[in-house]
Amino acid sequence: MKSDYLAIKETLKKEITFGHFRVNQKLPTETELMHRFNKSRYAVRKALSELQDEHLIYKVQGSGMFIQDWNKKWQINPESKTIGLICTHIADYIFPKIISQIDTEISTKEYSLLIANTHNHPKKERESLIKMLDSQIAGLIVEPSESAKPSPNLDIYKRVAKSKIPLLFINAEYPKLNFPSITNDDEAAETELIKYLLSMGHQRILGIFQVDDLQGVHRMNGFMKAYQETSSNLSNSSIIMYNSHDPFQTISKKIAFYLKDGQRPTAIACYNDSLALLVLDMLKKMQLKVPEDISLVGFDDFDSAAYLTPSLTTMNYERTSVGKEAGQGILKLIQGKKLNSIVHHPKLKVRASVAAPKEK
């Protein structure tokens, strides 16, 4: 059956591209693969034939099949008019505007976008990188997945660097790589935000940060730095750490634990506005008023932040500027010009979701 050989092919292809085999390593024999997959010899041979056609394996007469140097073909393609964009969350509240602005910039030079969505999974990032590099795109714009963790895709990025394929990171970057990036000074911005809460009289602040991305780690560091720089007592406050793949139900249980405490926090600082919106709804269901009972702040200044009830105090994210700079930046790299990294400095947006805490 057709599905038999496809299942074998896709499994072996994933194992090859994810580094389970070394270059020039011999594959298991046909008989061994038949036993492993419990499929016919025809299905195994068909799968191997297609992998050979895709230059992932090569045959040595009388010796068997071996792993090809499959990413050797990744080279700069000056004829390509396609730029790859790899996002962590394509429908996220900040990304549509970035994508639109990138597209506006590159279309002036008759380039088009090829977009992939990783959902912040490094494996999906790897698959997207391979597909785009196989299609010989002109350049790449990448938002790293789980950027706070060691990347399992460094081998691909090193090959990209070696081949001098234009690549630009946005929002975060992998520490061991030397590509230009467009990022925010998340630590300093969060420090300013928490200092504002402290200046309003809040001493018991609950910080909630996504820690599998560098943005969240930097913001969490900024949270603590605000206490250090103001000589405030950090022990009065608490931090909740979560991963991007955690459902809000899991996070909300942790939040509820602190809200039921006798020394309930007087303010909550959220990793971003998207989380703040969920927390706001949770507080309303618990009949806690913002900011009368508890103050709330976010980060990013997404489009609806100013129109919530109450309007949300937050740090702005220059989505239009980032998209414009990313579009112009990748064109500059494609032209062989040097691009220096850009760091944005978010500004505080004071709104109605913060008030001085009630005296007890």
Side-chain angles (χ1 to χ4, degrees), residues 153-308:
N153 303 323
L154 290 181
D155 59 322
I156 292 183
Y157 287 113
K158 288 176 181 177
R159 172 68 78 167
V160 168
K162 184 177 180 181
S163 300
K164 297 183 179 179
I165 297 170
L167 187 145
L168 170 65
F169 284 128
I170 57 174
N171 293 337
E173 56 188 341
Y174 294 120
K176 294 184 179 180
L177 300 171
N178 191 30
F179 294 103
S181 63
I182 302 172
T183 58
N184 283 315
D185 190 344
D186 289 290
E187 181 174 316
E190 189 71 28
T191 299
E192 181 181 355
L193 181 61
I194 302 306
K195 279 184 175 180
Y196 169 67
L197 290 176
L198 292 169
S199 73
M200 290 292 291
H202 294 279
Q203 292 296 320
R204 297 194 306 277
I205 305 172
L206 176 61
I208 311 171
F209 300 102
Q210 180 179 302
V211 292
D212 52 350
D213 286 333
L214 280 175
Q215 300 97 305
V217 173
H218 292 324
R219 291 173 195 178
M220 183 172 66
N221 290 340
F223 180 97
M224 294 183 287
K225 190 175 181 180
Y227 282 84
Q228 295 167 353
E229 292 186 354
T230 58
S231 299
S232 300
N233 187 357
L234 181 59
S235 65
N236 291 328
S237 296
S238 302
I239 291 176
I240 292 173
M241 293 178 280
Y242 70 96
N243 290 319
S244 56
H245 310 299
D246 291 341
F248 181 67
Q249 184 180 9
T250 300
I251 303 167
S252 65
K253 289 178 180 178
K254 295 179 181 180
I255 298 171
F257 171 81
Y258 289 100
L259 295 180
K260 292 177 182 177
D261 186 83
Q263 292 293 306
R264 188 176 69 203
T266 60
I268 297 177
C270 295
Y271 164 68
N272 60 17
D273 293 347
S274 180
L275 177 62
L277 187 61
L278 295 172
V279 172
L280 178 62
D281 183 60
M282 176 185 175
L283 293 173
K284 287 180 178 179
K285 289 178 180 177
M286 297 179 70
Q287 298 185 335
L288 290 171
K289 295 180 180 180
V290 175
E292 293 87 349
D293 298 320
I294 190 165
S295 291
L296 181 68
V297 298
F299 201 113
D300 288 335
D301 194 23
F302 81 121
D303 291 336
S304 300
Y307 306 104
L308 295 174

Side-chain angles (χ1 to χ4, degrees), residues 45 82 89 128 139 156 227 253 339:
R45 285 185 175 176
T82 302
H89 297 287
S128 299
I156 292 183
Y227 282 84
K253 289 178 180 178
L339 177 67

Side-chain angles (χ1 to χ4, degrees), residues 83 85 97-106 140-141 167-171 180-185 317-334 338-345:
I83 292 172
L85 173 61
K97 190 170 287 187
I98 295 174
I99 294 170
S100 176
Q101 194 62 48
I102 291 173
D103 186 60
T104 297
E105 293 298 324
I106 67 172
L140 270 171
I141 302 171
L167 187 145
L168 170 65
F169 284 128
I170 57 174
N171 293 337
S181 63
I182 302 172
T183 58
N184 283 315
D185 190 344
Y317 177 97
E318 296 290 347
R319 301 185 291 283
T320 300
S321 295
V322 169
K324 183 176 182 178
E325 291 161 355
Q328 292 176 347
I330 195 65
L331 290 176
K332 193 172 182 180
L333 290 172
I334 290 170
K338 180 178 174 57
L339 177 67
N340 294 321
S341 293
I342 299 170
V343 179
H344 285 270
H345 302 279

